[in-house]
Amino acid sequence: MKKAASAKGAASAKKAASKAGASKAGGSKASGSKASGSKSTASKSTASKASSSKTSAAKKAAKGAAVKKAPAPKKVAVAPKKATARLKGTAPAKAVVHPPGDESPTALVRRARRINRELAEVFPYAHPELDFENPFQLVVATVLSAQTTDLRVNQTTPSLFAKYPTPEDLAAANPEEVEEILRPCGFFRAKTKSVIGLSKALVEDFGGEVPGRLEDLVKLPGVGRKTAFVVLGNAFGRPGITVDTHFQRLVRRWRWTGESDPDKIEAAIGALFPKSDWTDLSHHVIWHGRRICHARKPACGACPIAPLCPAYGEGETDPEKAKKLLKYEKGGFPGQRLKPPQAYLDAGGTPAPPLGAG
């Protein structure tokens, strides 16, 4: 019995020793595996760092090349918040002007009406710049103003109306005598034909009176929609938009419309404003175009609507230099009328000199 127990114990001890050996061997293998993994990770990390270093160097080189090739950034046009102060010599705070771009119809209406309100503050005395005392004188003067200035017309018409005060008188006039009077206006032969022709039409078709309807006015020789709206708005008090060269230029510069045809411009701008504003709007825009927002050298630095204008910066932005570009009463020059309204004179406006003076 003792021998058998002794044999069993020996066998058990042998198995335990065998298991312990296997365990140690396994632990050794695992330890070797870990060491191998550690070496592999270190190797990968080193390679990764080297690769990252190369990539970083490449990026820096590319960035440097891009910086060298990139053009110098353009200066953003900056406009004064309230440029009416520019006219008084003070320097208001500045704000960046953002072009309308994808301006919505509602935003366009708001901006357009605000511009008109601003101009109404600057030119509260805006008026038609042709001298006239009645509808007949206005329609004749407006026809004569084509391809010349209102000032030149105002210097010429006193002699014309002194000799031919009524449509009947001008209808019966000697064309050569009328041509001689109208010579300073340019295109005097064509204009003589138009004013004599419209005078005859007034006598024959309208009893010597200027009609107060658009459809009748445009039938007169030399009278188009622009002339008709000048007469309707200023002689009869009926709203109309006067699309002259200044008006066309400014509404496109302000991006109120992209149209170039006068009739389409009239329709587009008419849709932005209530009808009651049309006549005064025309005066405000035309006055601004003649005095500040010139075709070639707009006085941006003295412009009262600079913050609202997408074209700010096309002209002189320095306030002092811009002031030198101002015309008529803003620049200290006489206006275009020999006999301007009292409101204009009260605001500091100066009458134009007669033809041949000075």
Side-chain angles (χ1 to χ4, degrees):
M1 289 292 286
K2 285 182 181 178
K3 288 182 181 177
S6 178
K8 280 183 182 179
S12 177
K14 206 173 186 178
K15 281 183 182 179
S18 174
K19 282 182 181 179
S23 176
K24 282 181 182 178
S28 177
K29 283 181 183 177
S31 178
S33 175
K34 283 182 182 177
S36 173
S38 176
K39 285 180 183 177
S40 174
T41 304
S43 175
K44 284 181 181 177
S45 176
T46 304
S48 175
K49 283 181 181 178
S51 174
S52 175
S53 178
K54 286 180 182 178
T55 305
S56 177
K59 282 183 178 178
K60 284 181 181 178
K63 193 174 181 181
V67 169
K68 287 180 183 177
K69 290 181 180 179
K74 292 182 180 179
K75 289 184 179 180
V76 179
V78 173
K81 283 185 178 178
K82 186 80 172 176
T84 44
R86 293 286 194 191
L87 301 177
K88 299 176 183 178
T90 59
K94 295 181 177 180
V96 176
V97 174
H98 297 284
D102 299 327
E103 193 173 34
S104 69
T106 301
L108 172 58
V109 169
R110 287 175 179 169
R111 184 170 64 87
R113 292 186 182 184
R114 186 178 169 191
I115 286 176
N116 187 40
R117 289 195 300 271
E118 293 285 344
L119 294 180
E121 288 184 16
V122 180
F123 307 114
Y125 44 79
H127 56 265
E129 295 197 87
L130 290 168
D131 281 322
F132 70 98
E133 295 177 0
N134 53 57
F136 171 64
Q137 289 187 2
L138 180 57
V139 71
V140 170
T142 307
V143 169
L144 295 179
S145 68
Q147 303 298 317
T148 191
T149 64
D150 287 355
L151 172 58
R152 179 60 66 184
V153 174
N154 291 337
Q155 292 171 328
T156 306
T157 51
S159 299
L160 180 69
F161 296 138
K163 192 168 185 177
Y164 310 107
T166 67
E168 290 82 1
D169 295 325
L170 192 52
N174 181 338
E176 291 182 0
E177 292 179 2
V178 176
E179 285 178 4
E180 195 57 35
I181 295 173
L182 300 184
R183 189 179 292 273
C185 288
F187 303 96
F188 57 92
R189 291 190 179 89
K191 289 179 180 180
T192 295
K193 185 176 180 181
S194 292
V195 297
I196 290 178
L198 74 84
S199 297
K200 288 180 178 178
L202 290 176
V203 172
E204 295 170 4
D205 302 330
F206 300 101
E209 298 291 333
V210 176
R213 298 195 312 164
L214 176 65
E215 52 267 38
D216 293 331
L217 284 169
V218 294
K219 293 176 182 177
L220 300 174
V223 177
R225 287 180 69 87
K226 183 196 85 170
T227 299
F229 281 128
V230 170
V231 175
L232 289 173
N234 299 289
F236 294 99
R238 296 176 184 174
I241 295 177
T242 304
V243 186
D244 73 347
T245 54
H246 298 289
F247 194 95
Q248 292 182 50
R249 175 168 52 79
L250 264 61
V251 297
R252 287 199 297 269
R253 181 172 279 175
W254 294 336
R255 298 187 192 175
W256 286 4
T257 180
E259 300 290 350
S260 56
D261 178 75
D263 291 350
K264 291 181 179 179
I265 290 175
E266 178 196 322
I269 305 307
L272 301 178
F273 294 89
K275 200 170 183 180
S276 58
D277 288 352
W278 288 358
T279 300
D280 285 342
L281 167 70
S282 300
H283 293 325
H284 297 153
V285 175
I286 293 169
W287 272 52
H288 189 62
R290 285 176 173 169
R291 286 155 174 77
I292 298 174
C293 194
H294 315 306
R296 294 184 181 178
K297 292 184 179 180
C300 294
C303 180
I305 59 163
L308 303 170
C309 180
Y312 177 81
E314 287 186 7
E316 181 57 64
T317 57
D318 181 83
E320 294 306 316
K321 292 180 180 178
K323 283 181 183 179
K324 295 177 182 178
L325 300 174
L326 299 178
K327 295 183 179 178
Y328 304 111
E329 78 283 353
K330 292 297 177 187
F333 306 114
Q336 301 218 7
R337 290 185 70 162
L338 278 70
K339 298 178 181 179
Q342 190 60 44
Y344 178 73
L345 298 174
D346 292 342
T350 308
L355 188 64

